């Protein structure tokens, strides 16, 4: 998350965060530079709400970069809306924190039921899924993670022409209830 902030620290970006562990960590790291550049779902939003917010933000501020931060679970809910983005030339950057599980749900389920049954996800190649819609995808893992800041800067530049999705494989966190 710190890399996202560092790569864009001098830019006037509209930040859109989804619900869930990865996106909620953004609240602690990403600093909007101007008023009306921060869209967060609040306590009562559903996972996957960010794509609608990102579409609205890009329509309201077509000249601004819009960055959507989400986890792999919420990305799975809304990825088909990349079709909407591309059809309407609404170019955004999406950063997906892909840990292969429903992190927030998993923590609570293990605490209550002692199992993570149906909380695991595949490490889906979301970066590949956006390509048929005309988007550009980047896959970041342990082989190229040291280049993350450069990848994010490229995504920023390319987002003037196309929507970009950066699929970052992340490790599991040891967050506990009350940490976020």
């Amino acid at each position: 998350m710190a890399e996202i902030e560092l790569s864009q620290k001098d830019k006037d970006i509209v930040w859109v965060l989804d619900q869930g562990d990865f996106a909620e960590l953004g609240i602690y790291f990403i600093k909007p530079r101007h008023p009306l550049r921060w869209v967060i779902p609040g306590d009562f939003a559903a996972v996957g709400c960010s794509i609608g917010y990102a579409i609205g933000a890009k329509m309201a501020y077509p000249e601004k970069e819009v960055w959507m931060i989400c986890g792999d679970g919420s990305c799975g809910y809304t990825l088909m809306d990349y079709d909407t983005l591309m059809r309407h030339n609404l170019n955004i950057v999406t950063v997906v924190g892909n840990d292969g599980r429903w992190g927030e749900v998993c923590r609570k389920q293990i605490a209550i039921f002692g199992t993570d049954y149906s909380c695991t996800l595949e490490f889906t190649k979301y970066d590949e899924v956006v390509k048929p819609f005309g988007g550009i995808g980047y896959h970041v893992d342990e082989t190229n993670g040291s280049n993350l800041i450069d990848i994010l800067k490229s995504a920023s530049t390319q987002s003037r022409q196309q929507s970009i999705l950066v699929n970052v494989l992340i490790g599991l966190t040891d967050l506990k209830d009350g940490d976020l």
Side-chain angles (χ1 to χ4, degrees):
M1 197 61 69
E3 288 87 349
I4 297 170
E5 169 65 17
L6 285 171
S7 73
Q8 305 305 314
K9 64 182 177 179
D10 297 323
K11 293 192 161 188
D12 182 11
I13 292 174
V14 179
W15 297 98
V16 178
L17 282 67
D18 207 287
Q19 198 74 329
D21 285 352
F22 183 70
E24 289 181 20
L25 283 171
I27 293 169
Y28 299 100
F29 289 94
I30 296 170
K31 305 297 179 216
R33 304 299 189 262
H34 301 279
L36 303 175
R37 303 294 193 273
W38 186 248
V39 183
I40 57 174
D43 291 337
F44 300 108
V47 169
C49 64
S50 62
I51 191 77
Y53 296 165
I55 289 169
K58 191 62 179 179
M59 292 179 78
Y61 296 101
E63 74 287 356
K64 302 287 183 208
E65 281 187 48
V66 173
W67 282 56
M68 182 174 88
I69 310 297
C70 65
D72 49 338
S74 62
C75 184
Y77 270 124
T78 64
L79 194 58
M80 294 307 290
D81 276 321
Y82 252 73
D83 178 56
T84 302
L85 291 168
M86 300 310 289
R87 276 188 292 114
H88 296 284
N89 201 30
L90 301 170
N91 300 323
I92 69 166
V93 176
T94 302
V95 179
V96 180
N98 191 339
D99 64 357
R101 70 183 201 165
W102 293 102
E104 192 172 354
V105 173
C106 188
R107 256 195 330 280
K108 291 177 180 158
Q109 187 167 309
I110 289 171
I112 295 169
F113 301 112
T115 179
D116 66 354
Y117 179 76
S118 75
C119 288
T120 56
L121 303 168
E122 298 298 322
F123 286 95
T124 302
K125 295 182 179 178
Y126 296 113
D127 48 295
E128 294 293 326
V129 177
V130 301
K131 291 178 182 177
F133 298 119
I136 296 173
Y138 287 99
H139 185 86
V140 180
D141 58 23
E142 68 278 350
T143 65
N144 64 349
S146 62
N147 299 324
L148 180 57
I149 290 178
D150 291 334
I151 291 168
L152 294 169
K153 287 179 179 180
S154 283
S156 175
T157 300
Q158 291 175 308
S159 72
R160 295 180 192 114
Q161 303 299 317
Q162 292 175 279
S163 281
I164 311 296
L165 186 140
V166 183
N167 186 23
V168 184
L169 300 188
I170 59 174
L172 298 177
T173 66
D174 60 354
L175 294 172
K176 295 166 188 57
D177 279 342
D179 284 352
L180 296 176

